[in-house]
Structure formats: structure tokens, C-alpha cells
Amino acid sequence: MAWRPVWLVAAAVAAVHLAVATRYGWHRDEFYYVICGRHLAWGYADQPPLAPLLARLATALPGGVLPLRVLAVAAQVGCVLLAPMLAAEFGGGRRAQTVTAAAVAACPLFVAASLLFGTTVLDQVVWVAVLVLVARALRLRTTGSWLAAGATAGIGLENKDTPAVLLLGIVVGLALLRREALRTAGPWLAGVVTLALAAPNVIWDAAHGWPNLRMARALSAEQGGQLGSLEQLPLLVVLAGPPLLVLWVLGARWLASPAGRAHRWVLVVAVVAVVVFTASGGKAYYPGPVVVGLFAAGAVRLESTQWSRSRGRGRGRGWGRTAVPLIGVSALAAVLTGLPVLPVSAANAVAVLNPTVVETYGWPGFVEQVRQAAAALPPGTPVFTSNYGEAGALTILGPAQGLRQPVLTAQNTYALWGPPPGRPDVALCVGEFRPDQLRLAWAEVTEVAPIRMNGVHDEEVEHHAAIYVCSRPRGTWSQIWPALVHFD
């Protein structure tokens, strides 16, 4: 392994991310993971338990959001270190491994995901690790190497359900191209380990009426179903880095050639992932981690053109001159659109490509607006929000800013936790509500003020989030709760 240049790339990645890790602030999903972590369970409405558990452990440390961001950066560094190992399994040498590490480091999909802690960045490192371990198991042909792959996949399924599609692609790829592996005990024992590790979340999900399937249907509907996913498929090219497209093409061609025949199953995995997520109405970035296989194969193809040996002579010289600038352009674009390096006004301008960055800005100001509105109401008046991000911000940031009221919402896992006791005679309702929605639960609804996010054009502003005083409830919390519940 070419550890020295790979570690240099990884160190550069860590340095850039940590330099701006807390420049803006929390993301709504990070609030949610922390709150879920305070209610430990084997599952939640929209994810298995691993991310909330890690969020709970991280926020036990000082530093606010910083420990969470360190975990996210560690996952990105893990991808940068693991990807060259896949190139090595493909037979790539020092330069192929370095190019693979640099491509992952420069890929917008990986850069943007590691801006914040959550299931996505953990899912990426799981996908890359499983690809490496399966390639290694096919080479070593030992039961232990297969068990390592199975254990990693099982842990990944306790973070997110998407590794199931990765495993489906691997099974299809092996059945088509590496049937000799399926005649051994290793893959089957690995499958048993995977199922055993994933079982607690599956059992929890079944016991609670399969809320994860309900969430999957809701998210698919938001995407526009299969047609919506198909229309968004070009976004995958943007996320994976248009300047790196040449590396993808080279990788696909190498895997399809006689030279890459032993590793062609990776190409099958990529095809299966894209087809399954598109057919199921998944988001464009779901199959994204499979580009690592194409990066690794493309880097091996580059190396095989004598780029690393010709000292600039002939055809290899052209590839050498092309690869470095393309990776550099992709890295620059990824950092500008995926990390909080720009002023907020400029970040608003690029939010059409990646709205996540601006969604990490402005939460303390949001909490202050709610605190001021709550101060005019009787002590103990509950604050009811339209989504988990608002509820999480008020719960986590509120006490330090003087907000002591109980905070509730009925979205996703909060809905499963159920209503509080009593009757909400007066409630401060905050968020993306329409007055007619609130009137299903309260007869009198008065808008106090629109929510301002300090110049950020994020989800709150886009959907006219506001603060309302609601009174004359149409029943107890338990009676009005069903009208407030939503999964999205």
C-alpha cells in the first residue's frame, strides 16, 4: 500500500474540514440525532439506532457541535483511506492508489456529506469498507475475510437500510460473474452474521408497525416516485463530480475489459444500486458511494497507460496532465459548494446546488425569536413546532438562551413518543404551519411574527415559517395529537 501519499491526502482532507467545521453551526438533522440518542432504542421512525447512539456519546463531550463534526470528518477520512485499498485489490500500484484517494477527497458527494454528522456520512464509509472487504475476501478465499465483510454490513444496517441494496448488488454480481465464491461457506456465513447484527432493528421496526417503510413511502412521494428519481438521476453526476467523469468512464471500461474481469462484479453493483434506488423513488445520492469502485478502477486504468512509468512520453503524458487538474477543479468546486467557506450571502447563491450549507446557519437567532415570543406568555406554556429541526434547536440551544418551556413536535419519531398529558389551553406554535392546519387542534390561532433566519434562504423562510399563539384547544393533547402527526 502507498500509505505515505494516501495519508497526506487524508491529512489535507481533515485539515480543510476541521478548519471550517463550526464556522456556521448545527444542522437540523444533528439536533434530531442528539434528541433521539436521549431516547435510546433499537430503532426510530426514520433510521436505525447507530447514528443517535454515536450522537449521544459525542455530545457528552464538551464543545457543542464540534465532537459531532469530528465524527463526520473521521468518516470522510475513513473513505479516503479505504478507497485506495480497493485500487490495490484491483492490482493498482502507488499512483493508482493516490489518484483514488484524491478522487474521493475531491468528490462533492463525499465532501458535502461530511459537512455534518449523520447517517449519510456513516453510510458512505460502510459502503466503501464492504466493497474493499468483499474484494479482499474474493482474493484470500478465507472464511475470516468473508466474516469481516458480513460484520461490517450488519453494523451498516444498524445505521441505515441502504446497505441492503449494496448487498443485493454484490449477490447479483457474484452470481453472474464469481459463482465459484458462492460454492464456499464464507459468503453464506457472512450473510448469517449480517442478518444477526441487523435483526434487533428489524424486530423493533416490526413491533412498531414498520414506521421505516412508512417513511420510505413518504420520502419516495416527496421525490415524485420513480419518475421523480429518474428526473433527478443527472444530479448524481453533479454530486459525484463532473470533472471526475473521465475517471468513471475509464473505470467502467476497465471493469468491462478482460483486464478487469475478476472485479467486474463491482460494475454490476453500481448498475443494481442505480436501478433499485431509481425504481424505488430514492434520492439521487443514495447510490453515490458506488462511484468509489469506478474511481479505483479508473485509476488502475490510468496507471496501466504508462502514465506513471513513461516520464511524460506519448499517451501516458496526456493522462498525467489531465488527471491532476480535473481532481483539483473538482476539489475546489466541492469545497465551495459543500463546506461553509463562503460568506452567508454567497452561500445562499449556491444553495440551489447544495442547500445543506445554509441550513447550518441562523439557529441561535431562531431560538431568540421564539424566546421573546414565549416571554409574553404564562410560564410553562408549551412550544409546539412543525418539525424535528425546530424542536431540536429549541431543546438543545434554548436553555442557554433562556428558553425553559417544554418543547414538542409530532413529526416522525417524536410522533411515536406520543403526546404529553393534559390539555394545551395555550400553546406557542412555531414553524411551517398553515393557520388552517393549526385550527384542526385549536379554535383560535393568531400569527405573532414570521420567522427570520438572519438572511438565510433555507427551509424555514421558503415555507413561510412563523410563530403563532394558539388557544381554545379542541380537546386534550391525546385527542388532538392524531391531527398533528406527520411523517416526512
Side-chain angles (χ1 to χ4, degrees):
M1 280 294 300
W3 286 120
R4 183 175 181 181
V6 168
W7 272 105
L8 287 174
V9 173
V13 166
V16 170
H17 277 273
L18 292 175
V20 295
T22 58
R23 184 163 183 255
Y24 285 2
W26 291 74
H27 187 269
R28 66 178 66 243
D29 289 353
E30 291 172 315
F31 291 133
Y32 187 42
Y33 297 130
V34 172
I35 298 299
C36 287
R38 294 177 181 177
H39 299 76
L40 287 179
W42 278 111
Y44 304 90
D46 32 19
Q47 73 252 332
L50 183 59
L53 173 61
L54 293 176
R56 177 187 176 118
L57 296 175
T59 51
L61 302 171
V65 75
L66 179 59
L68 287 172
R69 298 291 168 81
V70 170
L71 284 178
V73 174
Q76 158 100 19
V77 168
C79 291
V80 171
L81 295 176
L82 285 166
M85 297 173 68
L86 188 59
E89 292 294 339
F90 290 171
R94 178 185 180 88
R95 287 174 176 80
Q97 295 168 33
T98 305
V99 167
T100 304
V104 173
C107 179
L109 182 80
F110 290 89
V111 173
S114 51
L115 161 67
L116 58 99
F117 172 78
T119 57
T120 299
V121 71
L122 297 177
D123 191 48
Q124 289 178 343
V125 75
V126 167
W127 279 58
V128 179
V130 170
L131 288 173
V132 171
L133 290 169
V134 170
R136 183 173 182 268
L138 288 169
R139 174 174 58 85
L140 295 179
R141 303 179 183 181
T142 62
T143 300
S145 58
W146 280 108
L147 292 178
T152 302
I155 293 170
L157 286 168
E158 290 292 356
N159 168 67
K160 204 170 182 178
D161 296 332
T162 50
V165 177
L166 168 64
L167 297 177
L168 174 63
I170 291 171
V171 170
V172 173
L174 296 183
L176 291 175
L177 302 167
R178 298 296 301 268
R179 281 191 286 270
E180 76 282 359
L182 297 179
R183 298 188 188 103
T184 66
W188 305 104
L189 292 174
V192 172
V193 171
T194 299
L195 292 174
L197 289 172
N201 176 247
V202 175
I203 293 170
W204 180 94
D205 210 26
H208 289 78
W210 302 103
N212 281 4
L213 294 180
R214 178 167 32 182
M215 280 299 307
R217 288 192 295 269
L219 293 175
S220 176
E222 286 180 11
Q223 295 294 111
Q226 296 176 357
L227 182 59
S229 288
L230 189 61
E231 290 175 347
Q232 293 187 50
L233 199 55
L235 181 58
L236 179 59
V237 177
V238 176
L239 293 172
L244 302 175
L245 185 59
V246 64
L247 205 56
W248 304 9
V249 174
L250 285 175
R253 288 180 60 185
W254 184 82
L255 289 169
S257 72
R261 180 170 183 170
H263 311 289
R264 198 172 298 164
W265 60 272
V266 174
L267 191 57
V268 175
V269 172
V271 173
V272 168
V274 171
V275 169
V276 170
F277 284 126
T278 301
S280 62
K283 294 185 178 180
Y285 64 84
Y286 285 177
V290 297
V291 299
V292 169
L294 300 181
F295 287 159
V300 172
R301 172 69 176 130
L302 277 177
E303 194 173 51
S304 71
T305 63
Q306 303 301 311
W307 173 55
S308 62
R309 306 183 188 96
S310 64
R311 296 180 180 275
R313 292 192 298 273
R315 186 180 175 190
R317 181 180 182 181
W319 285 122
R321 286 180 172 177
T322 301
V324 174
L326 289 178
I327 289 173
V329 170
S330 184
L332 179 61
V335 169
L336 291 178
T337 60
L339 297 180
V341 297
L342 298 173
V344 175
S345 57
N348 275 325
V350 299
V352 64
L353 295 175
N354 179 22
T356 304
V357 176
V358 295
E359 290 176 352
T360 65
Y361 187 85
W363 289 109
F366 163 78
V367 172
E368 178 58 22
Q369 291 176 71
V370 176
R371 187 200 65 77
Q372 291 177 8
L377 298 175
T381 298
V383 179
F384 184 80
T385 73
S386 66
N387 62 56
Y388 61 70
E390 298 154 349
L394 296 173
T395 301
I396 292 172
L397 303 181
Q401 294 183 227
L403 182 70
R404 301 269 190 300
Q405 277 83 350
V407 178
L408 306 163
T409 189
Q411 185 191 26
N412 298 1
T413 300
Y414 278 89
L416 300 184
W417 292 333
R423 182 183 180 90
D425 292 322
V426 178
L428 191 67
C429 294
V430 177
E432 305 163 29
F433 293 113
R434 297 191 315 272
D436 61 304
Q437 289 176 301
L438 293 173
R439 289 193 183 99
L440 295 174
W442 289 273
E444 189 171 325
V445 176
T446 303
E447 181 174 338
V448 176
I451 290 173
R452 302 177 304 278
M453 296 296 286
N454 296 333
V456 170
H457 303 306
D458 72 348
E459 185 177 319
E460 311 301 315
V461 175
E462 198 175 306
H463 295 93
H464 183 68
I467 301 172
Y468 303 86
V469 173
C470 300
S471 58
R472 296 173 56 200
R474 301 187 186 277
T476 64
W477 273 115
S478 295
Q479 290 169 330
I480 66 174
W481 195 254
L484 302 172
V485 167
H486 58 109
F487 292 84
D488 47 33

